[in-house]
Amino acid sequence: MRLNSFENMFIDQLNDLYSAEKQLVAALPKLAEAASTPQLKQAFQNHLEQTQGHMQTVEQLLTGMNEKAGGHKCKGMEGLIEEGKEVIGKRGDSKVKDAALIAAAQKCEHYEIAGYGSARTFAQNLGYTQAVDMLQRILDQEGETDKLLTALATGQGSPVAINEQATR
Ligand SMILES: [Fe+2]
Ligand SMILES: [Fe+2]
């Protein structure tokens, strides 16, 4: 931990996010495979592509600050993914399982939203305008993904309503 300067703390935060994204790149294909509803499968697959982009962007930011990405594991995301894997491993009704997969995935998205929100704000404080833009773009995609998952669960703004199907 290098909390001797705001910049070092910012770098630590980016490293944490890099690890979170890297773990999600490995987990999202498993979520996609476990999902039964085609639109949910597709949502996980689409977010996998975005997540690969996020990982590259964060790596780029670190490289730009002469820092090497990696060498740290985000324990928060590790725990959330662990919980997601518990859902993946369960048997039962496919729609009920889809609803549980959405809940697990939204916990990951909210974790990312919190992390990127802070990192974006720290970049603002440091006057790193390009980093602010790059982090904001990721933050927006995390938010859109979260909203899409809500839509698929509730049917509000979506043709599928997984929660409703799961309670039939
Ligand atoms: Fe991400
Ligand atoms: Fe995400």
Side-chain angles (χ1 to χ4, degrees), residues 21 24 47 50-51 54 109 112 116 138 142:
E21 297 288 11
L24 272 174
H47 197 53
Q50 291 182 332
T51 302
H54 300 167
E109 292 313 306
E112 286 187 295
Y116 282 108
I138 297 177
E142 310 295 12

Side-chain angles (χ1 to χ4, degrees), residues 13-29 47-59 72-74 77-78 81 108-109 111-113 115-116 134-135 137-139 141-142:
Q13 298 283 331
L14 289 181
N15 245 316
D16 196 62
L17 285 165
Y18 177 80
S19 167
E21 297 288 11
K22 195 174 173 183
Q23 292 182 62
L24 272 174
V25 165
L28 278 163
H47 197 53
L48 170 62
E49 276 175 44
Q50 291 182 332
T51 302
Q52 283 161 339
H54 300 167
M55 202 180 121
Q56 282 163 10
T57 301
V58 175
E59 184 174 20
H72 163 82
K73 188 148 198 183
C74 172
M77 188 57 83
E78 188 179 25
I81 287 174
C108 295
E109 292 313 306
Y111 186 85
E112 286 187 295
I113 288 166
Y116 282 108
M134 289 157 86
L135 292 167
R137 219 169 304 138
I138 297 177
L139 185 55
Q141 286 190 339
E142 310 295 12

Side-chain angles (χ1 to χ4, degrees), residues 30-36 40 44 84 87-88 94 96-106 149:
K30 293 170 193 159
L31 285 168
E33 205 194 315
S36 303
L40 180 59
F44 287 143
V87 177
I88 288 171
S94 63
V96 173
K97 186 164 174 171
D98 278 358
L101 289 172
I102 291 175
Q106 284 193 293
L149 290 171

